[in-house]
Amino acid sequence: QVQLAESGGGSVQTGGSARLSCAASGVNFRNYHIGWFRQAPGKEREFVGIAVRPGSGGNVYLKDSVKGRFTISRDNAKKMVTLEMNNLSPEDTALYSCAASQAALSAIWRLEMYFSWGQGTQVTVSS
């Protein structure tokens, strides 16, 4: 089964940028969708976006609230999914995590379909 680890978090100022990486180990990385999630203090975990596995089209989907500011890219050879975040605001402050799924495309937005969660990386945006 795939194991995931995030890196790249830190503190940034409003309007700044951050680049997070989700590195995979184990086998068959190409068989997994990789989702990015975030959880702010006192709030539920929410989707940021999904990098669909190549065999299901390889598309990238982003939550509406981050479209135009965030991008997700997937490098299957390096077993890595990157989350690039621009024009950050304090509302983006959260623990960012990645996780894997093998769900059908109709179910990739279901949180319970994800497993092998990384430990998360904190992003703090100051005003």
Side-chain angles (χ1 to χ4, degrees):
Q1 190 169 353
V2 67
Q3 292 86 44
L4 303 173
E6 306 89 345
S7 61
S11 297
V12 298
Q13 292 188 328
T14 296
S17 300
R19 186 171 184 265
L20 308 183
S21 296
C22 175
S25 59
V27 299
N28 298 328
F29 174 72
R30 296 174 62 91
N31 289 347
Y32 298 90
H33 313 302
I34 302 298
W36 274 104
F37 306 82
R38 66 185 182 184
Q39 187 168 18
K43 295 186 177 181
E44 295 185 351
R45 179 179 283 163
E46 63 176 0
F47 277 93
V48 175
I50 304 168
V52 173
R53 62 190 173 192
S56 297
N59 293 328
V60 169
Y61 300 103
L62 289 165
K63 181 181 174 182
D64 285 346
S65 63
V66 303
K67 286 180 180 178
R69 299 189 300 124
F70 292 11
T71 59
I72 291 175
S73 59
R74 177 175 183 143
D75 188 329
N76 292 304
K78 294 183 178 179
K79 297 184 179 181
M80 186 170 292
V81 178
T82 300
L83 174 64
E84 302 253 12
M85 306 184 292
N86 298 306
N87 194 22
L88 288 163
S89 70
E91 290 70 33
D92 295 312
T93 294
L95 181 70
Y96 285 74
S97 302
C98 60
S101 174
Q102 292 187 301
L105 286 178
S106 59
I108 59 171
W109 291 102
R110 293 172 57 184
L111 190 63
E112 66 270 23
M113 301 304 290
Y114 286 80
F115 52 87
S116 294
W117 292 85
Q119 78 285 356
T121 185
Q122 179 69 33
V123 174
T124 302
V125 185
S126 57
S127 56

Coordinates of all heavy atoms in Angstrom, one line a residue, residues 12-93:
V12 N 3.8 32.3 6.1 CA 3.9 33.2 5.0 C 3.0 34.4 5.3 O 2.1 34.3 6.1 CB 3.5 32.6 3.6 CG1 4.4 31.5 3.2 CG2 2.1 32.1 3.6
Q13 N 3.3 35.5 4.6 CA 2.5 36.7 4.8 C 1.3 36.7 3.8 O 1.4 36.0 2.7 CB 3.3 38.0 4.6 CG 4.3 38.1 5.8 CD 5.0 39.5 5.7 OE1 5.2 40.0 4.6 NE2 5.3 40.0 6.9
T14 N 0.3 37.4 4.1 CA -0.8 37.6 3.1 C -0.3 38.0 1.8 O 0.5 38.9 1.7 CB -1.8 38.6 3.7 OG1 -2.4 38.1 4.9 CG2 -2.9 38.8 2.7
G15 N -0.8 37.3 0.8 CA -0.4 37.6 -0.6 C 0.8 36.7 -1.0 O 1.1 36.8 -2.2
G16 N 1.4 36.0 -0.1 CA 2.5 35.2 -0.4 C 2.2 33.9 -1.0 O 1.0 33.6 -1.3
S17 N 3.2 33.1 -1.2 CA 3.0 31.8 -1.9 C 3.7 30.7 -1.0 O 4.5 30.9 -0.2 CB 3.7 31.8 -3.2 OG 3.1 32.8 -4.1
A18 N 3.2 29.5 -1.2 CA 3.8 28.3 -0.6 C 3.7 27.1 -1.6 O 2.8 27.1 -2.4 CB 3.1 28.0 0.7
R19 N 4.6 26.2 -1.4 CA 4.6 25.0 -2.3 C 4.7 23.8 -1.4 O 5.7 23.7 -0.7 CB 5.8 25.1 -3.2 CG 5.9 24.0 -4.3 CD 7.0 24.4 -5.3 NE 7.0 23.4 -6.4 CZ 7.9 22.4 -6.4 NH1 8.7 22.2 -5.4 NH2 7.9 21.6 -7.5
L20 N 3.7 23.0 -1.4 CA 3.7 21.8 -0.6 C 3.9 20.5 -1.5 O 3.4 20.5 -2.7 CB 2.4 21.6 0.1 CG 1.9 22.8 0.9 CD1 0.6 22.5 1.6 CD2 3.0 23.3 1.9
S21 N 4.6 19.6 -1.0 CA 4.8 18.3 -1.7 C 4.2 17.2 -1.0 O 4.3 17.1 0.3 CB 6.3 18.1 -1.9 OG 6.9 19.1 -2.7
C22 N 3.7 16.2 -1.7 CA 3.2 15.0 -1.1 C 4.0 13.9 -1.8 O 3.8 13.6 -3.0 CB 1.8 14.8 -1.4 SG 1.0 13.2 -0.9
A23 N 5.0 13.3 -1.1 CA 5.8 12.2 -1.6 C 5.3 10.9 -1.3 O 5.0 10.6 -0.1 CB 7.3 12.4 -1.1
A24 N 5.3 10.0 -2.2 CA 4.8 8.6 -2.0 C 5.9 7.6 -2.0 O 6.9 7.8 -2.7 CB 3.8 8.3 -3.1
S25 N 5.7 6.6 -1.2 CA 6.6 5.4 -1.2 C 5.7 4.2 -1.2 O 4.5 4.3 -1.0 CB 7.5 5.4 0.0 OG 6.8 5.4 1.2
G26 N 6.3 3.1 -1.5 CA 5.5 1.9 -1.6 C 5.4 1.6 -3.1 O 6.1 2.1 -4.0
V27 N 4.4 0.8 -3.5 CA 4.3 0.4 -4.8 C 3.1 1.0 -5.5 O 2.2 1.5 -4.9 CB 4.2 -1.2 -4.9 CG1 5.5 -1.8 -4.4 CG2 3.0 -1.7 -4.2
N28 N 3.0 0.9 -6.8 CA 1.9 1.2 -7.6 C 1.3 2.6 -7.4 O 0.1 2.8 -7.3 CB 0.8 0.2 -7.4 CG 1.2 -1.2 -7.8 OD1 2.0 -1.4 -8.7 ND2 0.8 -2.2 -7.1
F29 N 2.1 3.6 -7.3 CA 1.7 5.0 -7.1 C 0.7 5.4 -8.2 O -0.3 6.1 -7.9 CB 2.9 6.0 -7.1 CG 2.5 7.4 -7.1 CD1 2.0 8.0 -5.9 CD2 2.6 8.2 -8.2 CE1 1.7 9.3 -5.8 CE2 2.3 9.6 -8.1 CZ 1.8 10.1 -6.9
R30 N 0.8 4.9 -9.4 CA 0.0 5.3 -10.5 C -1.4 4.8 -10.3 O -2.4 5.2 -11.0 CB 0.5 4.8 -11.8 CG 1.9 5.4 -12.2 CD 2.5 4.7 -13.5 NE 1.6 4.9 -14.6 CZ 1.7 5.9 -15.5 NH1 2.7 6.8 -15.3 NH2 0.9 6.0 -16.5
N31 N -1.6 3.9 -9.4 CA -3.0 3.3 -9.2 C -3.8 4.1 -8.3 O -5.0 3.8 -8.0 CB -2.9 1.9 -8.7 CG -2.4 0.9 -9.7 OD1 -2.3 1.2 -10.9 ND2 -2.0 -0.3 -9.3
Y32 N -3.3 5.2 -7.8 CA -4.0 6.0 -6.7 C -4.3 7.4 -7.2 O -3.5 8.1 -7.8 CB -3.2 6.0 -5.4 CG -2.9 4.7 -4.8 CD1 -1.7 4.0 -5.2 CD2 -3.7 4.1 -3.9 CE1 -1.4 2.8 -4.6 CE2 -3.4 2.9 -3.3 CZ -2.3 2.2 -3.7 OH -2.0 1.0 -3.1
H33 N -5.5 7.8 -6.8 CA -5.8 9.2 -6.8 C -5.1 9.8 -5.6 O -5.1 9.1 -4.5 CB -7.3 9.5 -6.7 CG -8.2 8.7 -7.6 ND1 -8.1 8.7 -8.9 CD2 -9.2 7.9 -7.3 CE1 -9.0 7.9 -9.4 NE2 -9.7 7.4 -8.4
I34 N -4.6 11.0 -5.7 CA -4.1 11.7 -4.5 C -4.9 13.0 -4.2 O -5.0 13.8 -5.1 CB -2.6 12.0 -4.7 CG1 -1.8 10.8 -5.0 CG2 -2.0 12.8 -3.5 CD1 -1.8 9.7 -3.9
G35 N -5.4 13.1 -3.1 CA -6.1 14.2 -2.7 C -5.3 15.1 -1.7 O -4.5 14.6 -0.9
W36 N -5.5 16.4 -1.9 CA -5.0 17.4 -0.9 C -6.2 17.9 -0.1 O -7.3 18.2 -0.6 CB -4.3 18.6 -1.6 CG -2.9 18.3 -2.0 CD1 -2.4 18.1 -3.2 CD2 -1.8 18.4 -1.1 NE1 -1.0 18.0 -3.1 CE2 -0.6 18.2 -1.8 CE3 -1.7 18.6 0.3 CZ2 0.6 18.1 -1.3 CZ3 -0.4 18.6 0.9 CH2 0.7 18.3 0.1
F37 N -5.9 18.0 1.2 CA -7.0 18.4 2.2 C -6.4 19.5 3.1 O -5.2 19.6 3.2 CB -7.4 17.2 3.0 CG -7.9 16.0 2.2 CD1 -6.9 15.2 1.6 CD2 -9.2 15.8 1.9 CE1 -7.3 14.1 0.8 CE2 -9.6 14.8 1.1 CZ -8.7 13.9 0.6
R38 N -7.3 20.1 3.8 CA -6.8 21.0 4.9 C -7.8 21.1 6.0 O -9.0 20.8 5.8 CB -6.6 22.4 4.3 CG -7.8 23.2 3.8 CD -7.4 24.5 3.2 NE -8.5 25.3 2.8 CZ -8.5 26.4 2.1 NH1 -7.3 27.0 1.8 NH2 -9.6 27.1 1.7
Q39 N -7.3 21.4 7.2 CA -8.1 21.5 8.3 C -7.7 22.6 9.2 O -6.5 22.6 9.7 CB -8.1 20.2 9.2 CG -9.1 20.2 10.3 CD -9.3 18.8 10.9 OE1 -8.5 17.9 10.8 NE2 -10.4 18.6 11.6
A40 N -8.5 23.6 9.3 CA -8.2 24.8 10.1 C -8.7 24.5 11.5 O -9.6 23.7 11.8 CB -9.0 26.0 9.5
P41 N -8.1 25.2 12.5 CA -8.5 25.0 13.9 C -10.0 25.2 14.1 O -10.6 26.2 13.6 CB -7.7 26.1 14.6 CG -6.6 26.3 13.8 CD -7.0 26.2 12.4
G42 N -10.6 24.2 14.7 CA -12.1 24.3 15.0 C -13.0 24.0 13.8 O -14.2 24.1 13.9
K43 N -12.4 23.6 12.7 CA -13.2 23.3 11.5 C -13.0 21.9 11.1 O -12.0 21.2 11.4 CB -12.8 24.3 10.4 CG -13.2 25.7 10.7 CD -13.0 26.6 9.5 CE -13.4 28.1 9.8 NZ -13.2 28.9 8.6
E44 N -13.9 21.4 10.2 CA -13.7 20.1 9.7 C -12.7 20.1 8.6 O -12.5 21.1 7.9 CB -15.1 19.6 9.2 CG -16.1 19.4 10.3 CD -17.4 18.8 9.7 OE1 -17.6 18.7 8.5 OE2 -18.3 18.4 10.6
R45 N -12.2 18.9 8.3 CA -11.3 18.7 7.2 C -12.0 18.9 5.9 O -13.2 18.5 5.8 CB -10.7 17.3 7.3 CG -9.7 17.0 6.1 CD -9.2 15.6 6.3 NE -8.1 15.5 7.3 CZ -7.7 14.4 7.9 NH1 -8.3 13.3 7.6 NH2 -6.7 14.4 8.8
E46 N -11.4 19.6 5.0 CA -12.0 19.8 3.7 C -11.1 19.5 2.5 O -9.9 19.6 2.7 CB -12.5 21.3 3.6 CG -11.4 22.3 3.6 CD -11.9 23.7 3.4 OE1 -13.1 23.9 3.3 OE2 -11.1 24.6 3.4
F47 N -11.7 19.2 1.4 CA -10.9 19.0 0.2 C -10.3 20.3 -0.3 O -10.9 21.4 -0.2 CB -11.8 18.5 -0.9 CG -12.1 17.0 -0.9 CD1 -13.2 16.5 -0.3 CD2 -11.2 16.1 -1.5 CE1 -13.4 15.1 -0.2 CE2 -11.4 14.8 -1.5 CZ -12.5 14.3 -0.9
V48 N -9.1 20.2 -0.8 CA -8.5 21.3 -1.5 C -8.5 21.0 -3.0 O -8.9 21.8 -3.9 CB -7.0 21.6 -1.1 CG1 -6.4 22.6 -2.0 CG2 -7.0 22.0 0.4
G49 N -8.1 19.7 -3.3 CA -8.1 19.3 -4.7 C -7.7 17.9 -4.8 O -7.3 17.2 -3.9
I50 N -7.8 17.3 -6.1 CA -7.5 15.9 -6.3 C -6.7 15.8 -7.6 O -7.1 16.4 -8.6 CB -8.8 15.1 -6.4 CG1 -9.7 15.3 -5.2 CG2 -8.5 13.6 -6.7 CD1 -11.1 14.7 -5.4
A51 N -5.7 15.0 -7.6 CA -5.0 14.6 -8.8 C -5.4 13.2 -9.1 O -5.0 12.2 -8.4 CB -3.5 14.7 -8.5
V52 N -6.2 13.0 -10.1 CA -6.7 11.7 -10.5 C -5.6 10.8 -11.0 O -4.7 11.3 -11.7 CB -7.9 11.9 -11.5 CG1 -8.3 10.6 -12.0 CG2 -9.0 12.7 -10.9
R53 N -5.7 9.5 -10.8 CA -4.7 8.6 -11.3 C -4.7 8.6 -12.8 O -5.8 8.8 -13.4 CB -5.0 7.2 -10.7 CG -6.3 6.6 -11.1 CD -6.6 5.4 -10.3 NE -8.0 4.9 -10.5 CZ -8.6 3.9 -9.8 NH1 -8.0 3.4 -8.8 NH2 -9.8 3.6 -10.1
P54 N -3.6 8.2 -13.4 CA -3.5 8.3 -14.9 C -4.5 7.4 -15.6 O -5.1 7.8 -16.6 CB -2.1 7.7 -15.1 CG -1.3 8.1 -13.9 CD -2.3 7.9 -12.8
G55 N -4.8 6.2 -15.0 CA -5.7 5.3 -15.6 C -7.2 5.7 -15.6 O -8.0 5.2 -16.3
S56 N -7.5 6.8 -14.8 CA -8.8 7.3 -14.8 C -8.9 8.7 -15.5 O -9.8 9.5 -15.2 CB -9.3 7.4 -13.4 OG -9.4 6.1 -12.8
G57 N -7.8 9.0 -16.2 CA -7.8 10.3 -16.9 C -6.8 11.3 -16.5 O -6.4 12.1 -17.3
G58 N -6.3 11.1 -15.3 CA -5.2 12.0 -14.9 C -5.5 13.5 -14.7 O -4.6 14.3 -14.6
N59 N -6.8 13.8 -14.6 CA -7.2 15.2 -14.5 C -6.9 15.7 -13.1 O -6.7 14.9 -12.1 CB -8.7 15.4 -14.8 CG -9.0 15.1 -16.2 OD1 -8.2 15.4 -17.1 ND2 -10.2 14.6 -16.5
V60 N -6.9 17.0 -12.9 CA -6.8 17.7 -11.7 C -8.0 18.5 -11.4 O -8.5 19.2 -12.3 CB -5.5 18.6 -11.6 CG1 -5.5 19.5 -10.4 CG2 -4.3 17.8 -11.7
Y61 N -8.5 18.3 -10.2 CA -9.7 19.1 -9.8 C -9.4 19.9 -8.5 O -8.7 19.4 -7.7 CB -10.9 18.1 -9.5 CG -11.3 17.3 -10.7 CD1 -10.9 15.9 -10.8 CD2 -12.0 17.8 -11.7 CE1 -11.2 15.2 -11.8 CE2 -12.4 17.0 -12.8 CZ -12.0 15.7 -12.9 OH -12.3 14.9 -13.9
L62 N -9.9 21.1 -8.5 CA -9.7 22.0 -7.4 C -11.0 22.5 -6.8 O -12.0 22.7 -7.6 CB -8.9 23.2 -7.8 CG -7.4 23.0 -8.1 CD1 -6.8 24.1 -8.9 CD2 -6.6 22.7 -6.9
K63 N -11.0 22.6 -5.5 CA -12.2 23.3 -4.9 C -12.4 24.7 -5.4 O -11.4 25.4 -5.7 CB -12.0 23.3 -3.4 CG -13.1 23.9 -2.6 CD -12.7 23.9 -1.1 CE -13.8 24.6 -0.3 NZ -13.4 24.7 1.2
D64 N -13.6 25.1 -5.6 CA -13.9 26.3 -6.2 C -13.2 27.5 -5.5 O -12.8 28.4 -6.2 CB -15.4 26.6 -6.2 CG -16.1 25.8 -7.3 OD1 -15.5 25.2 -8.2 OD2 -17.4 25.7 -7.2
S65 N -13.1 27.4 -4.2 CA -12.6 28.6 -3.5 C -11.1 28.8 -3.7 O -10.6 29.9 -3.3 CB -12.9 28.4 -2.0 OG -12.2 27.2 -1.5
V66 N -10.4 27.8 -4.2 CA -9.0 28.0 -4.4 C -8.6 28.0 -5.9 O -7.4 28.3 -6.2 CB -8.2 26.9 -3.7 CG1 -8.5 26.8 -2.3 CG2 -8.4 25.5 -4.4
K67 N -9.6 27.9 -6.8 CA -9.3 28.0 -8.2 C -8.8 29.3 -8.5 O -9.2 30.3 -8.0 CB -10.6 27.7 -9.0 CG -11.0 26.2 -9.0 CD -12.3 26.1 -9.9 CE -12.7 24.6 -9.9 NZ -14.0 24.4 -10.7
G68 N -7.8 29.4 -9.4 CA -7.1 30.6 -9.8 C -6.0 31.0 -8.8 O -5.2 31.9 -9.2
R69 N -5.9 30.4 -7.7 CA -4.8 30.6 -6.7 C -4.0 29.4 -6.5 O -2.7 29.5 -6.3 CB -5.4 31.1 -5.4 CG -6.2 32.4 -5.5 CD -6.5 32.9 -4.1 NE -7.3 32.0 -3.3 CZ -6.9 31.5 -2.1 NH1 -5.8 31.9 -1.5 NH2 -7.7 30.7 -1.4
F70 N -4.6 28.2 -6.5 CA -3.8 27.0 -6.2 C -3.8 26.2 -7.5 O -4.7 26.2 -8.3 CB -4.6 26.2 -5.2 CG -4.6 26.7 -3.8 CD1 -4.2 28.0 -3.5 CD2 -5.0 26.0 -2.7 CE1 -4.2 28.5 -2.2 CE2 -5.0 26.5 -1.4 CZ -4.6 27.8 -1.2
T71 N -2.7 25.5 -7.6 CA -2.5 24.5 -8.7 C -2.0 23.2 -8.1 O -1.3 23.2 -7.1 CB -1.6 24.9 -9.8 OG1 -0.3 25.2 -9.2 CG2 -2.1 26.2 -10.5
I72 N -2.4 22.1 -8.7 CA -1.9 20.8 -8.3 C -1.3 20.1 -9.5 O -1.8 20.2 -10.6 CB -3.1 19.9 -7.8 CG1 -3.6 20.4 -6.5 CG2 -2.6 18.4 -7.6 CD1 -4.8 19.6 -5.9
S73 N -0.1 19.6 -9.3 CA 0.6 18.9 -10.4 C 1.0 17.5 -9.9 O 1.3 17.3 -8.7 CB 1.8 19.7 -10.9 OG 2.7 19.9 -9.9
R74 N 1.1 16.6 -10.8 CA 1.5 15.2 -10.4 C 2.6 14.7 -11.3 O 2.6 14.9 -12.5 CB 0.2 14.3 -10.6 CG 0.5 12.8 -10.3 CD -0.8 12.1 -10.4 NE -0.6 10.7 -10.1 CZ -1.5 9.9 -9.4 NH1 -2.6 10.4 -9.0 NH2 -1.2 8.6 -9.1
D75 N 3.6 14.1 -10.6 CA 4.8 13.6 -11.3 C 4.8 12.1 -11.0 O 5.3 11.7 -9.9 CB 6.0 14.3 -10.9 CG 7.2 13.8 -11.8 OD1 7.3 12.7 -12.2 OD2 8.1 14.7 -12.0
N76 N 4.3 11.3 -11.9 CA 4.2 9.8 -11.5 C 5.6 9.2 -11.5 O 5.8 8.2 -10.7 CB 3.3 9.1 -12.6 CG 1.9 9.6 -12.5 OD1 1.3 9.4 -11.4 ND2 1.4 10.1 -13.5
A77 N 6.5 9.7 -12.3 CA 7.9 9.1 -12.2 C 8.6 9.3 -10.9 O 9.3 8.5 -10.3 CB 8.7 9.7 -13.4
K78 N 8.3 10.5 -10.3 CA 8.9 10.9 -9.0 C 8.0 10.5 -7.9 O 8.4 10.7 -6.7 CB 9.2 12.4 -9.0 CG 10.3 12.8 -9.9 CD 10.5 14.3 -9.8 CE 11.6 14.8 -10.7 NZ 11.9 16.2 -10.6
K79 N 6.8 10.0 -8.2 CA 5.9 9.6 -7.1 C 5.5 10.8 -6.2 O 5.6 10.7 -5.0 CB 6.4 8.4 -6.3 CG 6.5 7.1 -7.1 CD 6.9 6.0 -6.2 CE 7.1 4.7 -7.0 NZ 7.5 3.6 -6.1
M80 N 5.2 11.9 -6.8 CA 5.0 13.1 -6.1 C 3.8 13.9 -6.6 O 3.6 14.0 -7.8 CB 6.3 14.0 -6.1 CG 6.2 15.2 -5.2 SD 7.8 16.0 -5.0 CE 8.7 14.7 -4.1
V81 N 3.1 14.5 -5.7 CA 2.0 15.5 -6.1 C 2.3 16.8 -5.4 O 2.5 16.8 -4.2 CB 0.6 14.9 -5.7 CG1 -0.4 16.0 -6.0 CG2 0.3 13.6 -6.4
T82 N 2.3 17.9 -6.1 CA 2.7 19.2 -5.6 C 1.5 20.1 -5.6 O 0.7 20.1 -6.5 CB 3.8 19.8 -6.4 OG1 4.9 18.9 -6.4 CG2 4.2 21.1 -5.9
L83 N 1.3 20.8 -4.5 CA 0.3 21.8 -4.3 C 1.0 23.2 -4.3 O 1.7 23.5 -3.3 CB -0.5 21.6 -3.1 CG -1.6 22.6 -2.7 CD1 -2.7 22.7 -3.7 CD2 -2.2 22.3 -1.3
E84 N 0.7 24.0 -5.3 CA 1.3 25.3 -5.4 C 0.2 26.3 -4.9 O -0.9 26.3 -5.5 CB 1.8 25.6 -6.8 CG 2.8 24.7 -7.3 CD 4.2 25.3 -7.3 OE1 4.4 26.4 -6.7 OE2 5.1 24.7 -7.9
M85 N 0.5 27.1 -4.0 CA -0.5 28.1 -3.5 C 0.0 29.5 -3.6 O 1.0 29.8 -3.1 CB -0.8 27.7 -2.0 CG -1.2 26.3 -1.8 SD -1.7 25.9 -0.1 CE -0.1 26.1 0.8
N86 N -0.8 30.3 -4.2 CA -0.5 31.7 -4.4 C -1.6 32.6 -3.8 O -2.7 32.2 -3.6 CB -0.3 32.0 -5.9 CG 0.8 31.2 -6.6 OD1 1.9 31.2 -6.1 ND2 0.4 30.4 -7.6
N87 N -1.2 33.9 -3.7 CA -2.1 34.9 -3.1 C -2.8 34.4 -1.9 O -4.0 34.5 -1.8 CB -3.1 35.3 -4.2 CG -3.9 36.5 -3.8 OD1 -3.4 37.3 -3.0 ND2 -5.1 36.7 -4.4
L88 N -2.0 33.9 -1.0 CA -2.6 33.3 0.3 C -3.1 34.4 1.2 O -2.7 35.5 1.2 CB -1.5 32.5 1.0 CG -1.1 31.2 0.3 CD1 0.3 30.7 0.9 CD2 -2.1 30.2 0.5
S89 N -4.2 34.0 1.9 CA -4.8 34.8 2.9 C -4.9 34.1 4.2 O -4.7 32.9 4.3 CB -6.2 35.2 2.4 OG -7.1 34.1 2.5
P90 N -5.1 34.8 5.3 CA -5.2 34.1 6.6 C -6.3 33.0 6.6 O -6.1 32.1 7.4 CB -5.6 35.3 7.5 CG -5.0 36.5 6.9 CD -5.2 36.3 5.4
E91 N -7.3 33.1 5.8 CA -8.3 32.0 5.7 C -7.7 30.7 5.2 O -8.3 29.7 5.3 CB -9.4 32.5 4.8 CG -10.3 33.6 5.4 CD -9.6 34.9 5.5 OE1 -8.8 35.2 4.6 OE2 -9.9 35.7 6.4
D92 N -6.5 30.8 4.6 CA -5.9 29.5 4.1 C -5.0 28.9 5.2 O -4.5 27.8 4.9 CB -5.0 29.9 2.9 CG -5.8 30.4 1.7 OD1 -6.8 29.8 1.3 OD2 -5.4 31.4 1.1
T93 N -4.9 29.5 6.3 CA -4.2 28.9 7.4 C -4.8 27.6 7.8 O -6.0 27.5 8.1 CB -4.1 29.8 8.6 OG1 -3.4 31.0 8.3 CG2 -3.5 29.2 9.8

